[in-house]
Amino acid sequence: MFKNYLLLALRNMRKNKLHTFINIGGMTVAFGCSIFILLMVHYHFSFDKFQENENNIFKLYNYTIGPNGEEFGTSMPYPITPALKQENIGIIKATRIKNGGKLVRYKDKMLDMSTRLVDDDFFSMFSFPAVKGAQVNPLSDVSKAVLSEDAAGKLFGKEDPVGKTVEAKIGGNWYNLTVSAVVKDFPTASTIKFSLLARSEIDPEYAADKNNWDNQSHDVYVQIAGNTTQQQVEARLRSFLNKYRPVDAADMKRNGYKPDNSGDYRSLHLAPLSQIHFMPAISNSSAVNKSFLYILILISCVIILIASFNFVNLNVGLSFTRTKEIGIRKCLGAGKREVWLQVWGESFLMIAISMLLGVGLVILLIRNFSATFDNVLQPGMLLSPVIISILSVLVIVVSFIASGYPSAIMAKLKTVEVLKGKITVKRPGALRNALIVTQFVIAIVLICSTIIIFQQFNHLRTAPLGYNTTSIISIPLKREEKGKDITAKMRLLLASQSSVIAVSGASSNIGVGEDGSTSTSVTCFSYGDKTICGQVLDGDYDFLKTLGIKPVAGRDFSTQYAADTSSLSVIATESYIAQFGEKNVAGFSFYMDGDSSNPKMHVVGIIPDFRIKSINQQQRPLIIHLNNDKTIDYAWVRVNTGNPMATMDLVKKAYAQAEPGAEFKGSYVNENVDRMYKDERIMANLFSSAAIIAIILSCMGLFGIASIIIRQRVKEIGVRKVLGASVSGIITLVSKEFLKPVIIAFLIAAPLSWWMMHTWLQNYAYRIKVEWWVFAIAGFAALLITMITVSFQSIKAALANPVKSLRTE
């Protein structure tokens, strides 16, 4: 019986080649897209699942409600970690995690590697098992270091690293560390990433700051007791904070801060390790918003539904071409169950084939697709038991959605009426029109969403930042302690080049550099009865000239002024100066914290406010210090961009001479700005891809349905032609059946799209205005696509010889 059903299914597929191709092709594309999305969502939801203590580990963060809304901060002072363990508040373990540096060397090999400084509780909290060396407490001594497998392979090759001495650059100084263990490489889905681990006490700032509650410089992770809840610990942290870091409520209120629901102006909270990846304000890594993942799941479901609607429409249409076959089977004893299983089995076979083809499509394209998402997807992920189970269930569910109704129709047909030829389909039916309307509602919504998301993305990336982003090259320096010497040498080497306008340097990057770096620093101090806050940036000579910013008062940093080499000169933005409330700002000077024992700051220039970070981030006042020591993290070069590639090569050669042996990772600032809006770009690409796929699938369905309808109305069309109907009249007759559902779909989709996009845009402080023409374009595109799709079949039917049509039996 199974063999007969299989042969019959293959025979029917071969008989209806066009519709089989549409069904299998559409479902293959839908399954392929859904598998890509499933892998991506599974990857993000698997973050930190390998950690055995995942449910008991939390990240500490500060919470305040400032003048511009909620503020989150994860930087903590050194003394807070031992204090948390001393107090009986339910925390049994705690570790600091601080960025220690990015350079490690062994003998004559120096590599760019991330160093993290941690405490002795680290390995008892987190699951990073050792594959070589000490299995328990490998960081028992300040002189010890732990390497990841990947880092050990790059540094030592096949040589055993345990017991060997490596040098790590931490805080500008090189330290000799003995490798005590090598730990197994952790999954890419890990919040905590490192190449080398060392003890916190090795930090050059540790001795001075170990009892300093005001200098916040690192993250803190804690593990709570098994019989304690997150809510209980957070409640106890209120008294802890009042004991160690009491808040001046009057001062906070005066500076525009508001109390939270508990009446606290500042509070400490715990972020679960399992949720940190979904909390961009808390995570220091590439966090992702859960709403973005839910959008991905929704897109996946939408694509599968469109393909399933095609399946339903085509199968319903084809089922009425098989009525005599079903009637004869019923006469020979087939019951409703057998008929249903036969028709459903044929559909299940096509869907199973589509799934296998979809998996093959994924394997073929996964590396190209993964490049869009930081190469986190691998073909091996398809062998995950979770993925295999989901795909198996998906085949069964989709087969019921796509073919359950057509199968039920065929099973309910009455044998006598079928054999007498009384079963006919003269009208398209409400179900078919409803499915077409739904398909095009989805397609039009996706078209509108794509246009608006692209508009918002371009609005963000082209928004004026206060300087010309296309003409500045940003270069991360490896030896930041000699950064000022490096920029000075580059300035000298490039001085004779007409394509180079100026060279400067800074402590922070503009945007997100090619090395993936981005950083900010905010400092507050008292000035009389006021609190002055703002971003702090260390700069070099020709700072304004390099950025192309004209001061509203004063001047740039320059070697021509002796004061710039002997005093603390600063350039401040207008909003920063406005905080002082001083009327006369010409030559303005002030003491940090109002303490005359501190160095005196001399404002040599006042500039308009400009941005070095995303325009979605809070705009803060900014002060630029002329860095009189040698520490500069980034070199900035302003160039003429007539020939960007040649100019970049020129700068690369100068950098190779200024910092020999270091890898060049320079990039134009407009590229850095684009990286800031990676999420918006990915979302725009996803929606555009989904819109294209939705339109293609909808067109495939329309094409197939039109062919079925014309097949059913072939005699009617022949009679009309014999009675004098024109070709244009017949084309109009056939086409208008499909235009009505599309027009209805537009009337539904236009307000739905407006509401969805208007709601989404509220997440952006700087946003576009939704224009009416977006919906007009989407509606016109849907009508045009429908006409083009249906017209092929309509013209073919209109031009057919009516004699052949009327002779067809």
Side-chain angles (χ1 to χ4, degrees), residues 49 125 139 362 418 518 629 665 682 763:
K49 296 300 180 185
M125 292 172 60
L139 291 177
V362 169
V418 170
T518 178
D629 60 25
K665 289 190 175 182
I682 289 175
N763 296 320

Side-chain angles (χ1 to χ4, degrees), residues 16-89:
N16 299 290
K17 295 184 182 68
L18 174 63
H19 304 97
T20 300
F21 172 78
I22 292 174
N23 276 335
I24 293 181
M27 293 306 302
T28 296
V29 172
F31 281 137
C33 295
S34 299
I35 292 169
F36 276 128
I37 291 174
L38 174 62
L39 293 177
M40 177 57 62
V41 172
H42 178 260
Y43 166 77
H44 285 291
F45 278 106
S46 67
F47 251 74
D48 296 311
K49 296 300 180 185
F50 69 97
Q51 299 286 359
E52 295 178 5
N53 297 323
E54 175 200 8
N55 295 327
N56 292 328
I57 295 178
F58 299 83
K59 186 176 184 178
L60 200 65
Y61 69 93
N62 290 301
Y63 175 77
T64 55
I65 303 176
N68 297 309
E70 294 181 314
E71 297 179 1
F72 301 84
T74 59
S75 292
M76 297 292 160
Y78 267 119
I80 197 171
T81 303
L84 287 169
K85 294 166 67 175
Q86 289 172 6
E87 299 291 330
N88 185 23
I89 58 175

Side-chain angles (χ1 to χ4, degrees), residues 467-477 487 490 494 499-506 508-510 513-514 546-547 634-641 643-652 655 664-672:
Y467 46 88
N468 187 354
T469 60
T470 60
S471 62
I472 303 171
I473 298 173
S474 175
I475 309 165
L477 305 179
T487 55
M490 289 186 66
L494 296 170
S499 58
V500 176
I501 298 172
V503 177
S504 188
S508 292
N509 206 350
I510 301 178
E514 192 173 308
T546 303
L547 288 183
Y634 300 89
W636 293 347
V637 183
R638 186 182 178 194
V639 299
N640 291 318
T641 51
N643 191 338
M645 295 296 293
T647 306
M648 181 66 84
D649 288 340
L650 187 69
V651 172
K652 184 176 181 179
Y655 174 72
F664 179 78
K665 289 190 175 182
S667 55
Y668 281 98
V669 167
N670 61 319
E671 298 171 353
N672 296 359

Side-chain angles (χ1 to χ4, degrees), residues 58-61 63 89-91 222 224 228-241 262 264 267-272 279:
F58 299 83
K59 186 176 184 178
L60 200 65
Y61 69 93
Y63 175 77
I89 58 175
I91 293 174
V222 300
I224 66 174
T228 308
T229 65
Q230 175 185 349
Q231 292 73 21
Q232 290 173 332
V233 175
E234 286 185 334
R236 295 164 189 164
L237 283 172
R238 293 184 67 192
S239 58
F240 173 88
L241 194 61
S262 301
D264 297 323
S267 54
L268 283 173
H269 293 271
L270 302 177
M279 304 171 70

Side-chain angles (χ1 to χ4, degrees), residues 28 48 181 186 243 273 275 358 479 497 512 573 581 584 612 617 623 625 649 656 673 685 714 752 762:
T28 296
D48 296 311
F186 42 84
K243 178 179 179 180
L273 180 63
Q275 298 301 313
R479 294 178 294 171
Q497 301 295 331
V512 180
T573 59
N584 184 14
I612 59 174
Q617 296 181 7
I623 186 169
H625 291 259
D649 288 340
V673 172
N685 290 335
V714 65
L752 180 62
Q762 302 312 304

